Amino acid sequence: MTVPTDIPLGTRVVVRHRLPPGYSHPMTDVIGVLEAHEPVTVRTADDRTVQIAADRIVAVKALGARPVRTGEIRSLEVAAALGWPGVESAWIGGWLARFGHGITGRANSAAPLGMPGELAPFEEVADELRAWYSVRGQPLRLLLPDRLTSGSLPRPRDTDPVSVLAADIGDLVLPTGPAVSRVAAEPDSEWLARYPFRTGRRSAEIQVLSAIRGGELGFARIGNAGAPPIAIGRAAITRAPDGRVWVGLSCVEVAAEHRRHGVGSLVCAEMIAWGRERGATHTYLQVTDDNAPALAMYRKLGLVEHHRYRYAVPVAADGRGDVE
């Protein structure tokens, strides 16, 4: 048999296969990352590459990702916050508050990212957080990652969850891209021509796009120079508190006429490779659960769900919220 093609490359698998005559036992298992379907190729944890003939394969099973620890969620969220920090930020009782002119939820929300013992319950910092945002003309919105909530939240109004997908870059088999691709330190006019500005405040959006804390930004494009690119993306390299170096992918846009032809995967691969060249060992991105095409593309690349988060608008005891 062959590996089912619905098992994406980059997936951890166990392959049971027959051994040649003369071995003490007839079958054995190989566990590792699937690198090719034909011939079936698996890279093991000790970095050996094992090819298995189709007529020797008995069974193939995809393995689930290992459980994610709470500390790993906090660490990745800090790295992601540094990679999309808005234009102002402040730590308030272990909550990281970000402000970005009201552009995107990530850049305009407070998240409980302090270490255990340093993170104040929400009710103890609610007034200070509200005041911080009020000075900046914004309501208080919370970004609540899985398992990091501290204290009771007064009747939050939840939004749909956002999935954070992640991967060890060493486990990925990246598609190769065309020669007409590059990653620049700043978004040039051609890159911006493809970016879908959403607020009508172009200069403010560019400020949010161009912000990073203690890391490096790259703006990827695929297409010929002198014309709007057919695909773009933003990559942010930041270091997490646990020492891992992440490259975060965002702002992936593909021209309508080039969608569903693998171009989105190629621009993501370009950004991941660019990050790896600069020391990144892991990659992540955020995607809403209702974006089925993007989820399928990212999972095909080999990224898996790390955790989720939700936005919540706290509601005061009188039933009034910060946002009507």
Side-chain angles (χ1 to χ4, degrees):
M1 67 172 290
T2 59
V3 175
T5 56
D6 60 351
I7 298 181
L9 299 182
T11 302
R12 289 182 66 245
V13 295
V14 55
V15 181
R16 174 156 293 186
H17 60 98
R18 299 184 185 88
L19 292 171
Y23 279 78
S24 60
H25 45 290
M27 291 184 291
T28 190
D29 294 339
V30 60
I31 298 174
V33 176
L34 180 63
E35 292 197 332
H37 290 110
E38 295 182 6
V40 172
T41 305
V42 175
R43 181 163 54 81
T44 64
D46 58 0
D47 211 30
R48 291 184 300 114
T49 298
V50 180
Q51 290 188 348
I52 307 165
D55 60 358
R56 293 191 178 277
I57 295 175
V58 175
V60 182
K61 181 181 179 180
L63 299 177
R66 65 173 180 77
V68 178
R69 297 187 297 270
T70 301
E72 292 176 310
I73 295 174
R74 178 182 297 105
S75 197
L76 173 48
E77 282 293 329
V78 171
L82 295 173
W84 193 271
V87 297
E88 291 184 64
S89 61
W91 286 96
I92 299 174
W95 290 70
L96 179 59
R98 287 176 283 174
F99 166 72
H101 302 298
I103 298 165
T104 75
R106 283 175 289 153
N108 295 274
S109 52
L113 302 184
M115 296 295 292
E118 300 175 355
L119 180 62
F122 171 73
E123 55 267 27
E124 293 183 9
V125 296
D127 289 344
E128 191 173 355
L129 286 170
R130 283 191 175 94
W132 193 86
Y133 281 100
S134 178
V135 168
R136 291 157 179 81
Q138 292 292 318
L140 171 59
R141 176 179 296 175
L142 307 179
L143 187 157
L144 304 175
D146 291 347
R147 309 204 303 267
L148 298 189
T149 303
S150 174
S152 59
L153 296 173
R155 292 162 49 197
R157 295 173 180 168
D158 287 343
T159 60
D160 292 334
V162 177
S163 293
V164 180
L165 306 183
D168 182 327
I169 294 176
D171 290 342
L172 300 180
V173 180
L174 299 176
T176 57
V180 287
S181 64
R182 65 185 177 89
V183 181
E186 297 179 352
D188 60 19
S189 60
E190 295 168 358
W191 193 99
L192 294 171
R194 177 60 60 199
Y195 181 74
F197 289 95
R198 295 175 173 88
T199 68
R201 294 175 289 157
R202 185 183 176 95
S203 61
E205 288 199 48
I206 292 174
Q207 286 183 42
V208 173
L209 281 169
S210 303
I212 192 169
R213 299 285 184 270
E216 183 178 359
L217 283 178
F219 293 86
R221 53 169 291 160
I222 291 178
N224 295 317
I230 64 174
I232 61 169
R234 176 188 185 270
I237 301 174
T238 53
R239 183 179 294 274
D242 64 3
R244 293 181 181 180
V245 180
W246 292 86
V247 55
L249 313 184
S250 60
C251 305
V252 177
E253 295 287 341
V254 179
E257 63 273 22
H258 293 282
R259 291 172 186 166
R260 295 177 176 83
H261 295 290
V263 180
S265 296
L266 288 176
V267 76
C268 289
E270 289 292 311
M271 292 188 287
I272 294 170
W274 174 85
R276 179 176 56 195
E277 292 171 358
R278 286 157 177 77
T281 55
H282 294 72
T283 186
Y284 71 89
L285 53 83
Q286 298 103 334
V287 60
T288 56
D289 282 4
D290 61 357
N291 193 344
L295 281 168
M297 179 181 74
Y298 298 138
R299 286 171 176 158
K300 187 174 181 180
L301 275 172
L303 283 83
V304 298
E305 184 173 296
H306 189 273
H307 65 278
R308 292 183 171 193
Y309 64 78
R310 289 178 180 267
Y311 292 106
V313 177
V315 180
D318 62 3
R320 297 176 60 191
D322 294 319
V323 172
E324 298 299 331

